[in-house]
Amino acid sequence: MAADRHTDGHIAEAIRQVSADHIRQTIEKLVSFQNRSTISAQDQESIKEGRGIGAAREWLKAEFERYSKDCGGCLEVKTDTFTESPGERIPKPTEITNVYAVLRGSDAKQAERIVLVTGHYDSRNSDTFNGTDPAPGANDDGSGTAVSLECARVLSQAAAKLKFPATIVFLAVAGEEQGLNGSKHFAQMAKQQGWKIEAVLNNDIVGGDLGPGQDASVVRVFSEGLPAAASEAEIRRIRMLGGESDSTSRELARYIADVGRSYQSGVKPLMIFRLDRFLRGGDHYSFNQQGFAAVRFTEFREDYNHEHQNVRSENGVEYGDLSKFVDSDYVEHVARLNAATLASLASAPAPPASVKMLTKSLENDTTLTWEPSPGASAYEVVWRSTNAADWEYVQTFSSGVRATLKVSKDNVIFGVRAVDTAGHRSLPVVPEPER
Ligand SMILES: [Zn+2]
């Protein structure tokens, strides 16, 4: 079965350090800045007084620096600052800053491979143009920012022992509520600079709102089907071959499902085969548009009284995105699932390159070929029925870069992934037909 467990005891130990208490402190600290709207204050005076997005940004930098100090300087703390021109939700030229920390890969050949986790640290209340009244943003998206920070804290601590060959980036973006401005700038920069990002985990509204109807045992993982960045020719091929459910983002979602089975995070990933919720968008889309695999984590049931609302009471109903509605145990579980995914991907060999399926003649067997991956000791071919959501079967090929299976390519979808001696699996790559 493809759904057996792939547990690394060291990763399991590392993710146990994820702490609900620490996450709660992070969220409450973010709330303390009162209003983190992208158009809120960022002058020196306000930063000193601890209010507005400028103060939040300075605190995030200091927090990443603190984690870095605790791991002997293992994190590079960076900012990506730009001025956004006035637009629909940006009344005047506004400086936007993304804050991030880089945990450089330990293997010279693989350090250029990147896995990334992100949340947005800007907030809003009922009015997109209000930069002064309370906009606590505890869940949206203090929770996701806390996941990114907590992954940085725990994985930087674990890095000395685990020696991740690939690089992990921990990101907090701004501008989400004004139009995904921060993530858009960051993803474009990554694309222009040729970053080899294999996976983006966007956490937005993972607070597990304590309202009725919540299911704290699951977290939704949204992934696009048809890639936003696909060319017309690529879309034509997807249509011809039935590849509508095999974008790189969807393979990432399946990988997260596998991680969910392999590690005790406390929460089960619920794959949603859709880019995002109705009427809503998120930062993963900025990365999808640049051709990167990116998914969104969101709690099972959102409470719209606690999102994008002025803090108030009306007819006995409490409105506002306050930290008292956030379940920090739930955020801990989501952070653990994220940390296990990042650690698994950063430990794994590179996904095999140039994966091809031979289609020279009509035959009932299937032959696949690929190029060797740095760090791989074996390869696994996975496959599933065309109407199955997740991988069903696996066959291991301990050497070589070619495999013939007694399975008809007409009836299933194949993928090939690389495995190292410790059993870390790469993302699977779906073969391209070759004649
Ligand atoms: Zn959000």
Side-chain angles (χ1 to χ4, degrees):
M1 282 293 289
D4 56 353
R5 285 173 170 70
H6 306 131
T7 314
D8 172 336
H10 295 298
I11 293 176
E13 190 187 311
I15 65 168
R16 275 199 288 274
Q17 305 308 313
V18 172
S19 150
D21 282 345
H22 192 255
I23 284 166
R24 174 150 296 278
Q25 284 165 30
T26 299
I27 292 173
E28 281 172 0
K29 185 68 194 182
L30 289 167
V31 169
S32 79
F33 301 115
Q34 298 168 58
N35 183 314
R36 308 190 306 281
S37 164
T38 300
I39 58 172
S40 68
Q42 42 180 320
D43 57 286
Q44 284 308 317
E45 186 72 5
S46 309
I47 291 172
K48 234 191 303 174
E49 289 169 8
R51 61 180 169 80
I53 194 159
R57 171 193 77 210
E58 293 306 311
W59 179 79
L60 285 167
K61 277 194 266 180
E63 191 69 358
F64 278 135
E65 294 287 6
R66 192 165 71 86
Y67 304 160
S68 187
K69 217 170 142 213
D70 289 345
C71 65
C74 76
L75 295 172
E76 285 168 57
V77 181
K78 299 189 159 195
T79 52
D80 161 39
T81 300
F82 62 100
T83 302
E84 188 67 71
S85 309
E88 203 187 327
R89 293 178 174 189
I90 307 261
K92 57 172 196 228
T94 301
E95 195 173 280
I96 295 180
T97 299
N98 302 313
V99 184
Y100 61 110
V102 179
L103 181 60
R104 192 70 58 189
S106 63
D107 181 304
K109 264 190 272 179
Q110 296 200 57
E112 64 173 17
R113 298 172 45 220
I114 296 170
V115 293
L116 184 149
V117 61
T118 186
H120 70 86
Y121 71 96
D122 62 309
S123 69
R124 59 164 290 179
N125 53 33
S126 302
D127 176 5
T128 339
F129 296 102
N130 183 322
T132 48
D133 294 319
N139 194 349
D140 187 11
D141 186 27
S143 63
T145 306
V147 166
S148 195
L149 284 172
E150 190 64 0
C151 288
R153 188 180 73 83
V154 164
L155 296 180
S156 61
Q157 280 298 308
K161 196 171 184 181
L162 291 177
K163 300 241 183 310
F164 304 114
T167 294
I168 309 177
V169 173
F170 310 93
L171 174 63
V173 298
E176 199 273 349
E177 303 290 7
Q178 312 307 117
L180 313 181
N181 313 67
S183 58
K184 190 173 171 195
H185 188 267
F186 193 92
Q188 283 174 346
M189 173 186 78
K191 173 79 175 182
Q192 278 158 16
Q193 296 183 1
W195 293 24
K196 294 196 164 60
I197 301 180
E198 285 177 11
V200 173
L201 312 181
N202 174 34
N203 289 267
D204 195 351
I205 310 176
V206 291
D209 185 281
L210 290 161
Q214 188 60 278
D215 182 350
S217 71
V218 296
V219 62
R220 291 181 290 174
V221 180
F222 289 87
S223 60
E224 65 175 9
L226 288 181
S231 65
E232 275 305 311
E234 283 163 338
I235 296 284
R236 257 199 313 278
R237 200 179 61 198
I238 288 168
R239 188 183 294 130
M240 285 291 292
L241 302 174
E244 293 88 347
S245 194
D246 283 276
S247 65
T248 54
S249 300
R250 193 141 297 165
E251 305 311 355
L252 173 57
R254 293 187 179 103
Y255 192 95
I256 294 164
D258 188 9
V259 169
R261 291 185 290 267
S262 302
Y263 293 93
Q264 299 288 329
S265 66
V267 72
K268 191 171 160 332
L270 175 66
M271 291 192 286
I272 308 283
F273 286 180
R274 172 172 282 156
L275 172 64
D276 210 322
R277 303 100 73 233
F278 283 88
L279 302 175
R280 291 290 171 87
D283 292 315
H284 56 309
Y285 186 56
S286 297
F287 289 91
N288 287 156
Q289 284 178 303
Q290 300 304 319
F292 297 119
V295 299
R296 175 192 185 122
F297 291 84
T298 297
E299 65 191 16
F300 178 71
R301 185 184 186 277
E302 295 166 77
D303 188 326
Y304 303 107
N305 293 344
H306 303 155
E307 286 177 17
H308 302 193
Q309 292 283 356
N310 288 341
V311 179
R312 67 192 192 279
S313 260
E314 266 173 30
N315 306 320
V317 178
E318 279 189 289
Y319 294 86
D321 190 353
L322 300 165
S323 45
K324 68 174 175 181
F325 302 126
V326 168
D327 175 356
S328 45
D329 288 332
Y330 180 79
V331 188
E332 176 192 278
H333 299 158
V334 174
R336 203 167 271 153
L337 177 62
N338 272 261
T341 303
L342 295 168
S344 298
L345 285 168
S347 302
S354 306
V355 181
K356 307 277 190 210
M357 176 193 285
L358 303 189
T359 55
K360 283 185 173 57
S361 57
L362 294 169
E363 55 190 359
N364 286 306
D365 291 353
T366 302
T367 297
L368 304 169
T369 63
W370 57 90
E371 282 175 13
S373 290
S377 62
Y379 298 89
E380 287 178 347
V381 174
V382 291
W383 68 95
R384 65 176 204 275
S385 309
T386 55
N387 61 349
D390 206 350
W391 301 114
E392 296 175 306
Y393 306 99
V394 61
Q395 195 170 327
T396 306
F397 295 85
S398 46
S399 64
V401 288
R402 185 187 177 93
T404 298
L405 295 104
K406 298 249 167 256
V407 179
S408 168
K409 60 182 89 50
D410 298 326
N411 302 344
V412 303
I413 291 165
F414 285 104
V416 182
R417 61 193 184 197
V419 188
D420 71 4
T421 48
H424 302 119
R425 269 111 181 132
S426 75
L427 286 162
V429 179
V430 174
E432 285 180 28
E434 187 177 63
R435 298 181 66 158

